[in-house]
Amino acid sequence: NEHSERMKKFKNKGKDIAALRRQRMEVSIELRKAKKDEQIQKRRNISMDKSLTPAEDEANEIQLSLEKIVECVNGSNPELQLLATQATRKLLSRQKNPPVNEVIKLGIIPRLVEFLTYEDNAPLQFEAAWALTNIASGTSEHTRAVVEGGAVPPFISLLSSPHMHVSEQSVWALGNIAGDGPLYRDVLIKCKVLPPLLALVEDLTPPLFQVGFLRNITWTLSNLCRNKNPYPALEAVKTMLPVLSCLLVHEDKEIVSDACWAISYLTDSSNDRIQIVVDTGILPRLVELMGSPDLVVMTPALRAVGNVVTGTDEQTQAALDAGLLGVLPRLLQHPKPTIQKEAAWALSNVAAGPCHQIQQLITSGLLSSLMEVLDKGDFKAQKEGVWAVANFTTGGTVEQVVKLIQAGILKPLLNLLLAKDSKIVLIILDTISNFFLVAEKLGERERFCLLVEELGGLEKIEALQTHDNNMVYRAALNIIEKYFSTE
Amino acid sequence: MELSDANLQTLTEYLKKTLDPDPAIRRPAEKFLESVEGSQNYPLLLLTLLEKSQENVIKVCASVTFKNYIKRNWRIVEDEPNKICESDRIAIKANIVPLMLSSPEQIQKQLSDAISIIGREDFPQKWPDLLTEMVNRFQSGDFHVINGVLRTAHSLFKRYRHEFKSNELWSEIKLVLDAFALPLTNLFKATIELCSTHANDASALKVLFSSLILIAKLFYSLNFQDLPEFFEDNMETWMTNFHSLLTLDNKLLQTDDEEEAGLLELLKSQICDNAALYAQKYDEEFQPYLPRFVTAIWNLLVTTGQEVKYDLLVSNAIQFLASVCERPHYKHLFEDQNTLTSICEKVIVPNMEFRAADEEAFEDNSEEYIRRDLEGSDIDTRRRAACDLVRGLCKFFEGPVTGIFSGYVNSMLQEYAKNPSVNWKHKDAAIYLVTSLASKAQTQKHGITQANELVNLTEFFVNHIQPDLKSASVNEFPVLKADGIKYIMIFRNQVPKEQLLVSIPLLINHLQAESIVVHTYAAHALERLFTMRGTNNTTLITAAEMAPFVEVLLTNLFKALTLPGSSENEYIMKAIMRSFSLLQESIIPYIPSVITQLTQKLLAVSKNPSKPHFNHYMFESICLSIRITCKANPDAVGSFEEALFMVFTEILQNDVQEFIPYVFQVMSLLLEMHKNEIPSSYMALFPHLLQPVLWERTGNIPPLVRLLQAYLERGANTIASAAADKIPGLLGVFQKLIASKANDHQGFYLLNSIIEHMPPGSVDQYRKQIFILLFQRLQNSKTTKFIKSFLVFINLYCIKYGALALQEIFDSIQPKMFGMVLEKIIIPEIQKVSGQVEKKICAVGITKILTECPPMMDTEYTKLWTPLLQALIGLFELPEDDTIPDEEHFIDIEDTPGYQTAFSQLAFAGKKEHDPVGQMVNNPRIHLAQSLHKLSTACPGRVPSMLSTSLNAEALQYLQGYLQAASVTLL
C-alpha cells in the first residue's frame, strides 16, 4: 500500500536501492594485469593425442614449406591435401610462437573451410577443424579471418558428425569463435548452434561418455553465455539454462567449474535476467558449490551468487534462503585475497537490502566476520567491507546499527581512515556521519564522540582536514565542526 | 600587441617598476600590466623576455609574471570569455617545454609550475604530444634537463594520489603509463648505474640523487590508484633497487646540517612510503619482497642518529614497521623475544628520548611544542611514531612488550633518583613511556579511558608525580613539571577523585610558573578537570569543593595572562571560561574586576586580532559574566552595557572584521536581557545595522539577523512608531538574503520575526510585495531548503493574519494562485518540513486553512480539501522526508544552515528556541480535531461526507484517533 511504499522510500533516505547495490565493474578501464583467476576465453589445441591420428607417425613426418602447403592444399590430390593440412595444423599447434599470421596470409582458410564439408574424408575434416580452431584461438583479427572464411555453418553441421573426434574439434572451434565477443557469439546463436550442441550433451551418456568432450562442450556453452553489450538473446539463454543446471551436478569439477562460469555470466546482468536464473532453482546448488574445496569451482560459484545479490530484494532473499550466509564466513577468511574480496562484495550487497535482510546478517553471526575482514583482511576485501558497513548504516534500523557498533566494527573502520584510497576514506567519513545520526536519535551523541576519539578516530579525521581531495577534506571538516568543535 | 622590440622594451620598463619598493611607482605598473594582459602576444612577449632579456632580474620577474598570468587566465570558465587567444595558447604549448628545460633552475621552476597548470586543463586531450616531448628528453643525458622533466611530471601526476577513481582519470593514467613507465624504469636503472660510476663525485651524485628522489615520487603517484600491469611485471627491478638504495650510504652525500634533511634522507624516506603503499594495497604481489624491506628498514632505524634532519625518515620508517607488525601473516617476523627486545631497546626507547631539539623547543618555541605535545599534531614526530609502533606490537605481543618496558621504567627512575639535576631526562623518558604505553584509548575530554597493567597508575602518581608538583619552587625542572601536569591530565579518569582534589591547588599554584609550557599545561589541566562529569551528569568537581580556591584561581588565571609570552594564551582564556561556567554565582563578587580586565584585554587585542581561539573564549567569558550576573540581578545589564559599549563602538567604527560577529551576538544577548521596551541606546544603532556593507560579509549575516530578531522581539512597537522609515531598509535586507541560496533561510528568520512581532498596520503596504519577491525566487531557483522555509512562513502568516487573508493575498497576485500553491507546494512538499516548532507551525496553519477558510468549502478549491487534510495527517504520522534531489546535493555542505566557516557561534550567547504558537496550541493533533468539530457544527454533514469520499483508510483511522483523544465527534 501507499504507506509502506512511502516507508520504504524513507528508510534508505531516498537513495535508490540500485545505487546501494553495486554491480560488478564500476570502471571499465583497468590498470591491473588481466586477472589470473578469470576463465580462459580462447584456447589453442596443442595436445598431441596420438590415438586420434592413427595415420600419423612421428618418424616419417614430412616438413613442408609454406609454398608447398599452399600448393598441396589447393591441389586436388586428397593425400597431399591431408598431408598439407596436417602440416599446417602442426605448425599451429607448436608450443611456442605458432605462425598464425603467416598461415592466414597464405590465403588457405577458405580452402580449409571447404575441407570441413568433405564428409567422406573424416581425417581431413578433423585436421582442418583443428587448424582452424587454433587460428581462431588467437587475437580478434585471427578469429575474424576464420569467421569471414565462412567456417561457422560447416562447423555447426559438423557438430552432428558421426565421427566423435571431428564433432569434438568443432565444438572447440566454435567455443573460440563464441569467446571472441558478443558479435560472433550472436552470429553462432543466429546460425542455430544451440540445438545440435545441446543434443551432444544428451548423447554423451554412457557408454559414449567422454569427459574431455563434455568439458569442451561446457566450456563452449559458457562462452555462449559470456559477454555483455549486448547480452545473449533471452531465448538462447532459456534454452541453455536447463542443460547448465544438469551440468552443475556433474561429478567432474572442471565441468562444474565451467557451468558455474556460464551462470556467473548470465547473472552479471540486469535484474530480469538474474530472475531467469533464480527461477531455475539452482541457487541452493550454487551456494553449495561456493563451499567447494576446489578453487576452480568455488571461484565461479561465488561470482554467480555474488551477482545474484546485486539484484532485487527478492532475488537477494532467494540467495539468503539458499544458505548464502552460512558459507560466507569461511570465504571471508579465505587465504586467497580475491575470494575474500568477492565474498565481502556479496556481503556488502546483502547489507544494502531492507532491514529484515540486515537482520539476517546479524542473526547469522556475520558481524564478527565483517569485523575480521575490516581488521585483518586484504586491502581489496577491506574496501568491500567498508561498503558493507556503509550500506548497513544507510539501511539498518537504529537497533541494528547499534549492534554493528557493539560488534566492534568502529575500531577497524576508523583505522582504515589511513587507507591510501580517497574514495574509501570518503565513504568511511559518510558512514561516521550515519553513526552520528543514530547516536543522536538515541541521545548518545556525547558517548559516541568519546568512542570515536578513544579509538583514535578523531585525530585521523582531524588529519584529513588537510587532505588534498576536496570532498574528503570537506567531509572531515564537516564532522569536526558538527561534532567535535569546542563546546 | 605586436612582437616588436619596442613592446619588449616597454614591457621591460614596467616589469622593472613592479619590483620598486615604492608603491607609488609599483602599483601603477602592476595596473598597467593587468590592463594589457588580455592582448594577443602578451604571454609570448613575456616568454621572449624570460629567455632573452639581458638582465637576470627581468628574466626572473618575467617568469613569475608569466606563471601568475597562466594561473589566472588559462582555465576556460563556462559562460566567461576565453582570456587567452587560441594562437597564443598553441604557441605557448609548442615552446614552453624546451624553454623550461633550457632555463636556469630559478626560471625552470616557474615554467614547470606553469606547465602543470596548463597540463591540468589541457593534458592529455588538448596537449597530446606533451608526454613524448618530455620522455624524449630522458635520452639527453643532461640531468639538468632530466630533472626539469621529472619535476614537471611530478607536478602533473601527483593528483593521482588523491583523486577518486573514474574512467576519465584512469584513461589518463593508462595513457601516461603507456608512454612513461618504461622510459622511467630505464632512466631509474641508468641513474643508479651512474651513481656507482660517479660514486666519488659529490656534485654529480647530488644531481643524480635529486633525480632518484623525483623518480621515487613518480613511482608513488603512478602506483597509487592501482597496481599497473607494467609495474607488476617490473616489480623485481624496482623493489630490488629500492631495497639496495635503502641500505646505501655514501659519505659524500652526508650533510653537516642538523636540521634540514639531506638528499639521502629524502630518498630513503620516499622509499619507505613506496614500500608502505605496496604493503598496504598490493600485499598479495608484494609479499615476497616484504621481509627484506622489514629488515632493511629496521637496520636503518638502528643506525640512524638523533638529529632533527632524520626525523621524517625515522618516523616514516617506524610507521612502516607499525603498519606491518599488526598484520596477522607478518606476525612471525616480530614474534621472537630477541627481536621484540631489540625493537624496544634500539628502535622505540631511543626515539622516545627528550632530545636537545625538544629542549630547545620547550624553552624557545613553546607554542609549537605545546601544539605537538598536547594536541596530537605530532603525527610526524619520532615519539609519536614510536608510540604507534608500541600500539601495533601490543596487538599480538602485549605481555612481552609490557614486560620489557616495565624493566626500563624502573631502571630509568633509579638513574634519576641517583642525581636528579643531571639525570632528569631519564625521569622524563620514564614518564613518557608510562603515559604512552599505559594508554590504549585516549580522548581530550576524558584523558585515558583504558589503561594496561604496566604500572599502578595511582601509585606512580603519588610516588613520582605529586612530589615534583609539591616542591617549593614552581620553576625548578620545568620539563618534569610539565610531564607531571600532563600525567594528571591524561590519567584524570584513572586517578581517584581525592587525588585530583589534592592536585587542584597545586595546579593553581603552577599557573604562576615562568615557563610558558608549565603554566599553559596548568591552565589546560584545570580546564579539563572542570569539564569532567560525575554521577547524574553534573560536574565531577563541584562549585562547593572549589569555594576555598575561587579567589586565588581567578587571580592566578588573570595574572597568568600577564606573564611574558602568554598575553593571548588560548588555554588560559579557555580555563577562565570554564572556571566561570563551573563556579557560577560564586564569581559574582569578582565580576567588577573581571569585566574590567576582560574589556581591557578586548580593547588591546582588537588592535590586531591574531588568536581566534583566544578571542572566541574571551567573548564566551564575557557572555558568561553577563548571564551569571543578570540571572541573579537583571538590572545589572545596564552596567555591562556601560562597560562594553564603548569598546564595541570602537570595534564597529574601526571595522574589526573578526570581532564584529561576536559583538552582534553579545549585543543580542544583552538586548534579550531587557524585560521592557527597547532602550534608546539600541535604537540609535538600528539604522546602522541596515547598512548594506555590513551584510556583504557572510560571517556577519547570522549574528546580524539574530540581532535584528532581538530588535523586533523587544522593540517592534518602537520601530513601528519611531522608525517606520526604516522598515523598507529592513525589508531590503530580507530581499537581499532571500535572493541567495546560501542565506535564504536567514531571510526567512527575519521575515518571520517581522510577521510575528510588527503591528500589522505597519507592514500592510509591503505585504503583497513580499509575496511577489518570494514567488520570483521560487521561479528562478527552487531548492528544497527554500521550500521548507517558505512553507513555514506561509503557515505562520496564516496563523497571524488568518487563513482567509492568506488566500486573498495569493489570489490578489494572480487569480487561482492559492489553489496552485496548495496543490503544487503545500500538499506535495509539507512532509519535508523539519524541526519540532516548524512542524507545529505548519500543522496549525494548515488546520486553519482547512477549517477557517470559507473558499475551501465552496469553490473550486474544495477538491483540495481532503488531499490537504491527508497531507496534514501525513505530517503528523509519517517520517520526515529528507530526500534531496540529486542536483541539489552539491549545495548540501556549503549552504545548509549551521555550516558557516566565517561565523563563530558563541555557545554562551545561545538563543532559546522560540515557539510562536506555544501558548495558543499545545497539541496540534487535538487542535485539528477540535477545529474540525467546530467546522462541522457550522455546516453539518459536509465534513463527514468529504472524509468518507476520498480520505485514505489509514489516514482516516489516525484521524478517528485524534477525534477520540479530543472527545469530539463530527456532525
Side-chain angles (χ1 to χ4, degrees), chain B residues 365-382:
Chain B
N365 194 0
S366 33
E367 215 168 305
E368 173 69 16
Y369 180 91
I370 293 167
R371 202 172 57 80
R372 279 202 324 237
D373 188 43
L374 215 50
E375 294 170 11
S377 58
D378 57 350
I379 293 201
D380 293 329
T381 66
R382 292 170 172 235

Side-chain angles (χ1 to χ4, degrees), chain B residues 881-895:
Chain B
D881 175 5
D882 54 4
T883 58
I884 292 176
D886 278 345
E887 71 274 17
E888 281 182 42
H889 276 299
F890 70 97
I891 54 169
D892 214 23
I893 303 168
E894 279 176 320
D895 299 348

Side-chain angles (χ1 to χ4, degrees), chain B residues 160-416:
Chain B
Y160 304 158
R161 300 173 177 196
H162 60 78
E163 297 223 337
F164 295 141
K165 176 178 177 176
S166 70
N167 269 332
E168 203 191 353
L169 181 72
W170 282 35
S171 348
E172 179 182 321
I173 296 176
K174 217 172 158 61
L175 200 110
V176 169
L177 286 167
D178 286 346
F180 207 78
L182 179 64
L184 186 73
T185 309
N186 292 336
L187 180 67
F188 182 50
K189 288 191 281 195
T191 312
I192 285 176
E193 256 168 54
L194 285 171
C195 284
S196 55
T197 49
H198 291 78
N200 299 314
D201 177 350
S203 66
L205 278 182
K206 271 183 198 152
V207 178
L208 293 169
F209 267 73
S210 312
S211 309
L212 287 175
I213 293 169
L214 286 163
I215 292 170
K217 283 178 192 237
L218 285 164
F219 177 90
Y220 191 82
S221 300
L222 294 177
N223 282 277
F224 194 90
Q225 294 272 332
D226 204 344
L227 175 59
E229 180 165 6
F230 179 87
F231 284 101
E232 186 175 344
D233 291 341
N234 291 276
M235 200 181 289
E236 183 67 28
T237 306
W238 284 92
M239 288 303 158
T240 312
N241 283 311
F242 278 155
H243 178 262
S244 62
L245 286 170
L246 267 184
T247 55
L248 176 120
D249 194 13
N250 187 324
K251 293 266 177 305
L252 291 175
L253 285 165
Q254 287 171 356
T255 54
D256 298 332
D257 194 328
E258 287 201 355
E259 305 270 324
E260 205 66 37
L263 295 169
L264 210 48
E265 290 81 65
L266 289 174
L267 176 62
K268 290 182 178 182
S269 179
Q270 183 60 47
I271 293 174
C272 286
D273 278 345
N274 293 352
L277 177 75
Y278 266 50
Q280 186 186 71
K281 298 188 83 165
Y282 318 125
D283 187 37
E284 196 181 4
E285 294 82 359
F286 187 56
Q287 266 184 33
Y289 300 92
L290 188 123
R292 266 185 265 170
F293 275 86
V294 168
T295 317
I297 287 176
W298 174 351
N299 286 331
L300 182 76
L301 281 168
V302 174
T303 52
T304 303
Q306 289 282 353
E307 292 83 354
V308 174
K309 66 174 168 183
Y310 300 124
D311 282 5
L312 182 67
L313 172 60
V314 169
S315 72
N316 274 355
I318 299 181
Q319 292 292 4
F320 172 80
L321 291 184
S323 70
V324 173
C325 74
E326 54 174 26
R327 296 219 144 224
H329 50 278
Y330 297 126
K331 192 178 148 187
H332 64 276
L333 294 174
F334 299 86
E335 213 153 30
D336 184 70
Q337 179 74 25
N338 290 330
T339 310
L340 277 180
T341 312
S342 136
I343 292 182
C344 293
E345 265 179 41
K346 294 182 180 142
V347 176
I348 295 171
V349 171
N351 284 303
M352 283 192 174
E353 270 167 24
F354 201 73
R355 296 178 299 166
D358 296 321
E359 204 172 345
E360 229 166 76
F362 186 92
E363 278 162 18
D364 303 335
N365 194 0
S366 33
E367 215 168 305
E368 173 69 16
Y369 180 91
I370 293 167
R371 202 172 57 80
R372 279 202 324 237
D373 188 43
L374 215 50
E375 294 170 11
S377 58
D378 57 350
I379 293 201
D380 293 329
T381 66
R382 292 170 172 235
R383 277 190 158 189
R384 168 57 171 273
C387 282
D388 287 347
L389 180 54
V390 173
R391 290 198 192 126
L393 289 171
C394 279
K395 192 163 176 182
F396 293 119
F397 316 108
E398 179 162 4
V401 169
T402 309
I404 294 167
F405 284 122
S406 310
Y408 258 97
V409 168
N410 285 330
S411 74
M412 282 191 278
L413 286 173
Q414 279 159 13
E415 283 298 303
Y416 166 77

Side-chain angles (χ1 to χ4, degrees), chain B residues 449-680:
Chain B
T449 47
Q450 294 168 27
N452 78 2
E453 302 304 317
L454 182 66
V455 287
N456 179 316
L457 291 173
T458 308
E459 264 176 46
F460 192 86
F461 179 64
V462 174
N463 296 333
H464 300 289
I465 301 294
Q466 275 190 354
D468 281 340
L469 296 178
K470 279 184 178 153
S471 94
S473 163
V474 293
N475 293 322
E476 194 188 22
F477 300 135
V479 174
L480 291 184
K481 305 263 194 218
D483 287 341
I485 298 171
K486 196 179 161 198
Y487 188 97
I488 299 178
M489 231 167 347
I490 292 184
F491 293 114
R492 60 189 184 274
N493 278 306
Q494 275 69 39
V495 172
K497 183 177 169 183
E498 316 83 83
Q499 295 299 338
L500 294 180
L501 287 174
V502 175
S503 309
I504 283 179
L506 302 177
L507 292 173
I508 294 176
N509 195 31
H510 279 85
L511 288 170
Q512 306 177 79
E514 281 163 17
S515 156
I516 296 174
V517 177
V518 174
H519 65 244
T520 301
Y521 278 22
H524 189 51
L526 285 166
E527 195 271 335
R528 293 287 88 189
L529 294 186
F530 291 167
T531 50
M532 288 174 74
R533 295 276 153 186
T535 43
N536 323 325
N537 214 23
T538 53
T539 51
L540 179 74
I541 292 163
T542 63
E545 283 161 338
M546 285 301 295
F549 310 119
V550 174
E551 184 161 353
V552 60
L553 171 65
L554 294 179
T555 311
N556 284 2
L557 279 170
F558 278 99
K559 259 187 7 206
L561 285 177
T562 63
L563 292 169
S566 276
S567 65
E568 294 176 41
N569 185 316
E570 63 180 77
Y571 293 94
I572 300 174
M573 193 43 97
K574 194 174 180 189
I576 291 175
M577 170 190 82
R578 195 69 62 203
S579 303
F580 285 6
S581 168
L582 174 72
L583 300 170
Q584 291 292 329
E585 57 277 8
S586 41
I587 63 164
I588 293 178
Y590 309 97
I591 284 292
S593 133
V594 160
I595 204 74
T596 313
Q597 300 189 60
L598 284 173
T599 31
Q600 274 165 5
K601 197 47 110 179
L602 175 57
L603 197 60
V605 295
S606 69
K607 304 279 184 276
N608 179 22
S610 52
K611 295 275 159 63
H613 286 111
F614 176 86
N615 299 334
H616 187 89
Y617 298 129
M618 177 176 61
F619 277 104
E620 293 280 23
S621 303
I622 291 172
C623 290
L624 271 167
S625 313
I626 296 170
R627 272 179 181 247
I628 293 168
T629 314
C630 292
K631 196 173 147 201
N633 173 18
D635 294 337
V637 63
S639 54
F640 281 107
E641 287 167 349
E642 209 173 297
L644 290 167
F645 272 19
M646 253 180 43
V647 196
F648 284 0
T649 314
E650 207 167 311
I651 289 170
L652 292 174
Q653 275 170 354
N654 296 333
D655 193 24
V656 186
Q657 298 194 11
E658 294 86 339
F659 284 3
I660 287 179
Y662 289 117
V663 166
F664 291 146
Q665 289 178 81
V666 178
M667 285 180 65
S668 305
L669 180 70
L670 287 166
L671 179 49
E672 282 158 10
M673 289 289 171
H674 284 274
K675 293 285 172 266
N676 305 317
E677 200 45 28
I678 189 164
S680 56

